[in-house]
Amino acid sequence: MLLLPFQLLAVLLPGADSEDGFQGPTSYHIIQITSFVNSTWAKNQLSGWLDDLQIHGWDSDSGTARFLKPWSKGNLKEEEVAELNILFRDYIFRFIQEIQAGATKSHMEYPFEIQGIAGCELQSGGSIVSFLRGALGGLDFLRFDGDTCVPSPEAGSRAQYVCTIIMENHALVVIGRRLLYETCPRFLSGVLDAGKAELQRQVKPEAWLSSGPSPGPGRLLLVCHVSGFYPKPVQVMWMWGEQEQPGTQHSDLLPNADWTWYLRATLDVAAGDVTGLSCRVKHSSLEGRDIVLYWGQSTSITSICLAIIVPSIIFLLCLALWYMRHRPCSHSSSS
Ligand SMILES: *[C@@H]1O[C@H](CO)[C@@H](O)[C@H](O)[C@H]1NC(C)=O
């Protein structure tokens, strides 16, 4: 029972402090999105991700991968990169051809969209698990379980048919198996190591308060913005003293362009009940020194700084300068 709160915490903060203290991504996957516009025209997008951080793109014109970070190649040798480029170029070409042929045969209506995700993930025990799933029109279509293509029950006979075709294509299965169970795990370990400095960095959040659009007469929407932090796990709560306010609502975690994150926590309160409310931010980069912002004080602290501290420093500096210049004179003149 004692373990329960920790398990809950682990669910609430995915990726937070696993046993070896590793923070940052644990999986690599490729996303494929292919739009079949009409019988002759299809558009294909490929991208490579470490959890939700994109490290690879695909240049359809040249048919080559784009490496978005200096360390995105991980431990792959140049020959391997060249070989993979050819493999993917070939795959995309054949994939589009096969689907178009199949669509004609089975009288599928254009336009339609196919999405695929394939990759591997490091488990907490250290083993690596691979996966591949495909969707048609946003609905599960098929997945791979070990070496076997498994049609989604809700995708009907079409998915069963496609799985049969795939499993009969021995060469395709061999290549797929090699990529999923050999190349991906090796690449994942290599790239997590190559990008360690950036993937395991700690970047402190900035936090500020504002009021949102009024939820109703006599009510206020308090907004706590937290931005620029890395890694992703963060806790932002509206507090009254030491008491967490259960009415706190969180926005989605939104990505900034520099691989840091943004989150907003809001609280709907009666306008008279705002005294003593604060927003508390917990993040691994803060090493236990939570950020606490009090409603109604953040602005006054800023204005105190501007209105009192800055002028008084300037005044003191002037006074000191004046004193240093005039004191010796007054001394000499008086003696
Ligand atoms: C298919 O779509 C493309 C792009 O919209 C268009 O240029 C082309 O004429 C279409 N072809 C057919 C056969 O409809």
Side-chain angles (χ1 to χ4, degrees):
M1 272 315 270
L2 265 180
L3 273 175
L4 197 64
F6 291 101
Q7 281 161 355
L8 271 178
L9 200 66
V11 173
L12 288 173
L13 304 174
D17 287 321
S18 55
E19 281 132 60
D20 51 359
F22 177 81
Q23 289 214 335
T26 53
S27 71
Y28 175 75
H29 62 265
I30 290 178
I31 291 180
Q32 175 189 352
I33 303 172
T34 315
S35 311
F36 292 85
V37 178
N38 57 36
S39 57
T40 55
W41 207 76
K43 186 174 177 295
N44 185 73
Q45 285 172 286
L46 279 186
S47 49
W49 303 73
L50 288 172
D51 287 5
D52 30 34
L53 307 170
Q54 190 185 354
I55 58 167
H56 298 144
W58 181 261
D59 183 353
S60 296
D61 293 334
S62 65
T64 51
R66 276 187 289 123
F67 295 94
L68 307 184
K69 293 282 172 182
W71 44 265
S72 296
K73 284 181 189 168
N75 54 359
L76 295 178
K77 299 188 197 79
E78 284 304 325
E79 308 93 86
E80 281 180 294
V81 171
E83 192 192 323
L84 285 168
N85 274 332
I86 293 171
L87 203 63
F88 277 105
R89 204 180 305 156
D90 202 38
Y91 161 74
I92 294 164
F93 180 74
R94 284 185 196 210
F95 177 82
I96 291 174
Q97 251 191 350
E98 291 286 330
I99 298 291
Q100 283 172 336
T104 306
K105 234 188 269 173
S106 63
H107 306 291
M108 260 180 85
E109 270 187 40
Y110 288 96
F112 61 90
E113 192 107 356
I114 291 182
Q115 293 158 294
I117 183 168
C120 53
E121 176 165 25
L122 185 63
Q123 307 288 295
S124 53
S127 59
I128 295 182
V129 170
S130 298
F131 54 88
L132 186 156
R133 296 191 299 274
L136 173 62
L139 300 172
D140 284 343
F141 191 73
L142 58 78
R143 65 186 169 86
F144 265 78
D145 189 358
D147 267 7
T148 321
C149 180
V150 182
S152 291
E154 63 269 31
S157 57
R158 187 179 271 147
Q160 279 169 6
Y161 176 70
V162 171
C163 268
T164 315
I165 302 261
I166 291 176
M167 292 310 287
E168 279 170 1
N169 189 335
H170 193 62
L172 187 68
V173 174
V174 169
I175 293 175
R177 188 190 299 154
R178 177 160 66 89
L179 288 177
L180 276 179
Y181 297 104
E182 291 170 32
T183 315
C184 188
R186 186 161 53 86
F187 173 70
L188 177 63
S189 313
V191 82
L192 289 182
D193 191 50
K196 193 158 59 185
E198 195 165 351
L199 295 169
Q200 296 192 31
R201 76 202 199 281
Q202 294 283 335
V203 187
K204 287 189 179 135
E206 270 182 59
W208 67 97
L209 305 178
S210 73
S211 53
S214 171
R219 301 201 67 84
L220 279 178
L221 190 68
L222 315 187
V223 188
C224 180
H225 307 259
V226 183
S227 188
F229 55 92
Y230 183 94
K232 201 176 182 181
V234 71
Q235 264 190 317
V236 184
M237 270 319 261
W238 278 99
M239 313 284 294
W240 190 74
E242 282 304 302
Q243 227 176 319
E244 294 190 351
Q245 295 307 103
T248 305
Q249 302 267 328
H250 294 100
S251 69
D252 287 335
L253 271 153
L254 303 175
N256 288 319
D258 61 355
W259 272 26
T260 63
W261 296 92
Y262 170 86
L263 179 76
R264 201 170 46 224
T266 53
L267 187 68
D268 175 351
V269 288
D273 290 350
V274 293
T275 27
L277 284 171
S278 62
C279 173
R280 188 172 74 192
V281 183
K282 281 181 181 291
H283 187 259
S284 51
S285 65
L286 298 170
E287 296 169 347
R289 288 185 292 272
D290 301 350
I291 296 177
V292 180
L293 297 177
Y294 284 90
W295 182 259
Q297 282 190 9
S298 58
T299 43
S300 51
I301 286 173
T302 322
S303 40
I304 286 169
C305 280
L306 293 177
I308 299 174
I309 299 177
V310 174
S312 26
I313 287 173
I314 293 172
F315 176 75
L316 285 174
L317 274 175
C318 293
L319 197 68
L321 276 174
W322 181 87
Y323 193 68
M324 276 160 62
R325 281 199 185 174
H326 290 86
R327 204 183 127 108
C329 301
S330 55
H331 263 271
S332 52
S333 63
S334 68
S335 58

Coordinates of all heavy atoms in Angstrom, one line a residue, residues 37-42, ligand 1:
V37 N -4.5 11.1 -52.9 CA -5.4 12.2 -53.3 C -6.3 11.7 -54.4 O -7.5 11.8 -54.4 CB -4.6 13.4 -53.8 CG1 -5.6 14.5 -54.3 CG2 -3.7 13.9 -52.7
N38 N -5.7 11.0 -55.4 CA -6.5 10.4 -56.5 C -5.7 9.2 -57.0 O -4.6 8.9 -56.5 CB -6.9 11.4 -57.6 CG -5.7 12.1 -58.2 OD1 -4.6 11.5 -58.3 ND2 -5.8 13.4 -58.5
S39 N -6.2 8.6 -58.1 CA -5.6 7.4 -58.5 C -4.1 7.5 -59.0 O -3.4 6.6 -59.1 CB -6.4 6.8 -59.7 OG -6.5 7.7 -60.7
T40 N -3.7 8.8 -59.2 CA -2.3 9.0 -59.7 C -1.5 9.8 -58.8 O -0.3 10.0 -59.1 CB -2.3 9.6 -61.1 OG1 -3.0 10.9 -61.0 CG2 -3.0 8.8 -62.2
W41 N -2.0 10.3 -57.8 CA -1.3 11.3 -57.0 C -1.3 11.0 -55.5 O -2.4 10.9 -54.9 CB -1.9 12.7 -57.2 CG -0.9 13.8 -57.0 CD1 0.1 14.2 -57.9 CD2 -0.8 14.7 -55.9 NE1 0.8 15.2 -57.3 CE2 0.3 15.6 -56.1 CE3 -1.6 14.8 -54.7 CZ2 0.6 16.6 -55.2 CZ3 -1.2 15.8 -53.8 CH2 -0.1 16.7 -54.1
A42 N -0.1 10.8 -54.9 CA -0.1 10.6 -53.5 C 1.1 11.4 -52.9 O 2.0 11.8 -53.5 CB 0.2 9.1 -53.2
Ligands
LIG1 C1 -4.8 14.2 -59.1 O1 -4.6 15.3 -58.2 C2 -3.6 16.2 -58.7 C3 -3.3 17.2 -57.6 O2 -4.5 17.7 -57.0 C4 -4.0 16.8 -60.0 O3 -3.0 17.7 -60.4 C5 -4.3 15.7 -61.0 O4 -4.8 16.3 -62.2 C6 -5.2 14.7 -60.5 N1 -5.3 13.5 -61.4 C7 -6.4 12.9 -61.7 C8 -6.3 11.8 -62.6 O5 -7.5 13.3 -61.2

